[in-house]
Amino acid sequence: MRSKSGEFDFSWLFAIIVGAMILVLAIYGVVRLSDTQRYQADTETAKKIEILTNPLQAGFAEGKFGTIEFRQTTRINNLCSSEKFGENKISVSTQSSIGDEWKMAGGEISVHNKYIFSSENQEGDNFYVLSKPFYFPFKVSDLTIMTSDKENYCFVDAPEIIEEDVLGLNIPNVFVENCSSAVDYVRVCFGAFGNCDIVVRGSCSSNCGEWDFYDTGIVEKNGATMSYIGNLLFGAIFSDENVYECNVKRLMYRASQIAEGFAERTDLMTARGCNTNLKADMVYLQGLTGNASSSNLVGIYQVAKQTELKNEQELCGLW
Amino acid sequence: MIKFNKRGQWKIQQMVFMILAVFIFFILVGLFFLTWTSRDVRNSYEELEKEQAISSLKVITDMTEFNCGSRESLCVDKDKLRIMRGNLSLNYADFFEVESIEFYVLGNSSESFLIYDSGQSQQKKYSTYVSVCEKDSLSGYVYDKCEVGKVLVGVKLVNG
């Protein structure tokens, strides 16, 4: 490296400096490239979640259950916007063993035609997807409830019909009654007091069957109170308040649009001699649900129930 | 005037040439990798769009906005199609998450219902057969009058 006179050879110095620059640039390029690859993979995963939940929709069943498995621990973010039909914005980040444990999430995928109830952020290797239909009084949509395998739920004092529902679907992270003390549970108490993380209080006041009692009510969770009707009970138990309230508004808007369609349908049916007197009810329901939130749920539900009774008595029912 | 050693100058020229060659080599490798990656992204996108379109066929026909309400899958109501091809479907523009939705009645009436079209010219369409029914009455009896139909769902083509 040194010349005969003992001076540092210029060509070596030049090669070392430029070589170091090339190495630094190459390392920077590889890091940026791996970040881009990770971003792409995380965005694809978010899109796949949307697609994989399609066949898991309950459809005409009482409920459906499925599992989404990941190769490595994954964090799913669920942000909700309630403008008109609204959307769930799903993004995913994967756990990394190099550098920051959780890097920036991949691109957000907007899901407009599903109502995904979950925590705003949850981590796990497997995610359990439960789908339940939501009627108001006609079917509005399926509710997609997503929980992680890192959280176990214990239902305490649940009515038999809910117990059967949960046990029948074999949801691996939901247990009923004798929950082992070895596992850390989120305790969901039905009407009970004491050591409960989530409390469900039914609001039926008279002629209540076992399920009727919990047909409407409130769910108290993390200091928040969420009103529910029907299967929204599961949405309230398994999701954060923000996600729940937002999805309820979206569902109400969707119900108003369906009611508008039904109101128009009454004219077409009447023109064919298949008369129905439900037009005024549909217009009324449309007006009630257009800007409704969870605080209006129980009140509008009474109107919806009356409308359902009328529809059942019609020769040409609307739904 | 400073005199440079000719041998030294020659060495520097050699070095500069080598460095340029190494740079160009890395740039070419990088460009090749980027092309390969972008093709991979495009293929993944198309594959995901295809999967979404196929799974959307059932999801869309099962929506209350279309379904014949008889608790049967892949059965759509003709009245609802008539309504949804009107102004009401304008509210649903982003809702369907596909580029287009069309229904065709393949029976005697041969009607078509364009429910939604984003205006995207390059589309690939996926279809399935459905029942298209409407409630009718004859001598005071109400019955479902059904025909065979087809639903087409379009997705965006990246290379198209």
Side-chain angles (χ1 to χ4, degrees):
Chain A
M1 278 174 77
R2 283 174 186 273
S3 63
K4 281 175 188 169
S5 59
E7 288 169 352
F8 203 77
D9 195 334
F10 173 76
S11 59
W12 273 105
L13 187 67
F14 193 71
I16 288 167
I17 292 171
V18 173
M21 278 170 66
I22 292 175
L23 266 177
V24 168
L25 274 174
I27 291 168
Y28 176 77
V30 167
V31 169
R32 289 304 301 262
L33 209 65
S34 69
D35 276 353
T36 311
Q37 292 275 314
R38 189 193 48 75
Y39 186 87
Q40 182 199 331
D42 287 349
T43 310
E44 269 181 39
T45 308
K47 184 73 183 169
K48 277 180 185 163
I49 291 172
E50 185 200 356
I51 296 166
L52 285 171
T53 49
N54 273 345
L56 293 176
Q57 297 298 292
F60 299 107
E62 286 300 312
K64 219 171 185 179
F65 171 75
T67 305
I68 300 176
E69 293 174 4
F70 292 98
R71 276 185 227 150
Q72 61 192 112
T73 309
T74 301
R75 178 184 283 169
I76 299 180
N77 307 305
N78 176 16
L79 295 177
C80 181
S81 133
S82 59
E83 182 71 21
K84 293 194 171 179
F85 282 108
E87 61 193 336
N88 285 110
K89 293 174 194 163
I90 301 294
S91 62
V92 163
S93 49
T94 38
Q95 199 173 31
S96 168
S97 49
I98 306 163
D100 295 337
E101 190 183 11
W102 296 101
K103 295 217 168 79
M104 197 182 75
E108 275 181 353
I109 298 294
S110 293
V111 185
H112 296 91
N113 60 11
K114 289 194 191 78
Y115 302 86
I116 302 173
F117 291 83
S118 70
S119 303
E120 284 186 327
N121 307 292
Q122 54 183 346
E123 294 159 17
D125 298 310
N126 298 319
F127 285 85
Y128 303 123
V129 180
L130 168 68
S131 180
K132 300 288 275 179
F134 175 63
Y135 294 93
F136 201 73
F138 39 77
K139 183 171 172 186
V140 178
S141 181
D142 291 313
L143 313 177
T144 305
I145 297 142
M146 197 158 63
T147 57
S148 127
D149 60 353
K150 298 268 189 244
E151 271 193 316
N152 293 301
Y153 292 83
C154 178
F155 281 23
V156 181
D157 283 341
E160 203 175 318
I161 194 156
I162 292 180
E163 276 188 20
E164 282 170 5
D165 211 1
V166 168
L167 293 174
L169 288 167
N170 279 325
I171 309 170
N173 65 337
V174 179
F175 300 84
V176 175
E177 294 305 336
N178 303 316
C179 310
S180 153
S181 57
V183 185
D184 198 14
Y185 289 105
V186 174
R187 284 174 61 85
V188 183
C189 307
F190 285 76
F193 304 95
N195 182 24
C196 303
D197 301 294
I198 299 171
V199 178
V200 181
R201 297 181 202 279
S203 63
C204 180
S205 50
S206 60
N207 298 324
C208 309
E210 193 181 22
W211 168 242
D212 294 337
F213 188 74
Y214 287 102
D215 197 21
T216 63
I218 54 165
V219 171
E220 293 168 356
K221 183 181 178 182
N222 300 330
T225 303
M226 298 174 264
S227 296
Y228 74 86
I229 54 161
N231 282 331
L232 277 175
L233 165 66
F234 295 99
I237 290 173
F238 294 111
S239 63
D240 284 348
E241 187 192 10
N242 286 344
V243 176
Y244 178 78
E245 296 292 344
C246 170
N247 278 330
V248 169
K249 278 187 190 167
R250 294 176 61 212
L251 282 163
M252 288 296 104
Y253 183 80
R254 175 100 182 263
S256 79
Q257 293 298 302
I258 295 172
E260 188 181 343
F262 276 135
E264 284 187 41
R265 192 180 176 213
T266 55
D267 295 332
L268 294 173
M269 286 170 67
T270 305
R272 276 200 311 275
C274 212
N275 295 13
T276 172
N277 293 313
L278 285 165
K279 185 169 185 175
D281 297 271
M282 287 296 109
V283 172
Y284 184 49
L285 201 61
Q286 182 199 340
L288 286 176
T289 49
N291 286 311
S293 64
S294 78
S295 56
N296 315 115
L297 265 182
V298 179
I300 305 173
Y301 187 53
Q302 301 310 320
V303 178
K305 272 178 133 175
Q306 293 297 319
T307 314
E308 186 176 20
L309 286 174
K310 283 187 190 175
N311 186 60
E312 279 169 8
Q313 286 157 9
E314 292 272 331
L315 192 59
C316 292
L318 270 179
W319 61 89
Chain B
M1 209 175 140
I2 303 164
K3 279 190 174 177
F4 289 104
N5 182 335
K6 276 192 177 175
R7 198 166 157 264
Q9 274 182 321
W10 172 240
K11 272 198 164 185
I12 290 171
Q13 277 177 348
Q14 266 186 319
M15 191 66 71
V16 168
F17 184 77
M18 264 311 290
I19 288 161
L20 270 174
V22 169
F23 260 120
I24 290 168
F25 172 75
F26 275 114
I27 287 167
L28 284 176
V29 169
L31 280 175
F32 174 78
F33 188 75
L34 279 179
T35 314
W36 178 74
T37 313
S38 69
R39 202 179 60 182
D40 189 39
V41 171
R42 213 177 293 142
N43 288 343
S44 310
Y45 175 84
E46 281 185 359
E47 192 57 36
L48 289 171
E49 286 285 293
K50 181 183 162 189
E51 282 177 32
Q52 168 139 19
I54 292 169
S55 58
S56 289
L57 286 167
K58 187 173 177 295
V59 171
I60 287 169
T61 53
D62 283 355
M63 281 179 179
T64 310
E65 286 87 344
F66 299 110
N67 192 266
C68 49
S70 54
R71 290 191 163 260
E72 276 173 38
S73 208
L74 297 173
C75 174
V76 294
D77 186 283
K78 213 184 214 178
D79 283 342
K80 291 181 179 177
L81 295 182
R82 289 185 184 113
I83 294 160
M84 288 301 287
R85 78 171 162 193
N87 289 336
L88 191 62
S89 68
L90 296 175
N91 298 347
Y92 283 76
D94 293 326
F95 184 76
F96 296 121
E97 298 186 344
V98 287
E99 297 299 328
S100 65
I101 302 173
E102 293 161 78
F103 286 90
Y104 290 95
V105 181
L106 304 173
N108 297 333
S109 58
S110 294
E111 278 179 271
S112 67
F113 301 88
L114 177 61
I115 305 296
Y116 169 68
D117 192 346
S118 66
Q120 173 70 37
S121 55
Q122 304 294 340
Q123 291 185 29
K124 189 165 187 183
K125 294 190 176 177
Y126 296 90
S127 65
T128 189
Y129 289 99
V130 290
S131 306
V132 183
C133 301
E134 66 182 342
K135 277 199 191 311
D136 210 339
S137 67
L138 187 69
S139 312
Y141 289 101
V142 177
Y143 67 101
D144 285 321
K145 189 171 141 190
C146 297
E147 291 169 277
V148 177
K150 203 172 186 182
V151 54
L152 277 89
V153 165
V155 291
K156 192 175 162 186
L157 270 180
V158 180
N159 293 324

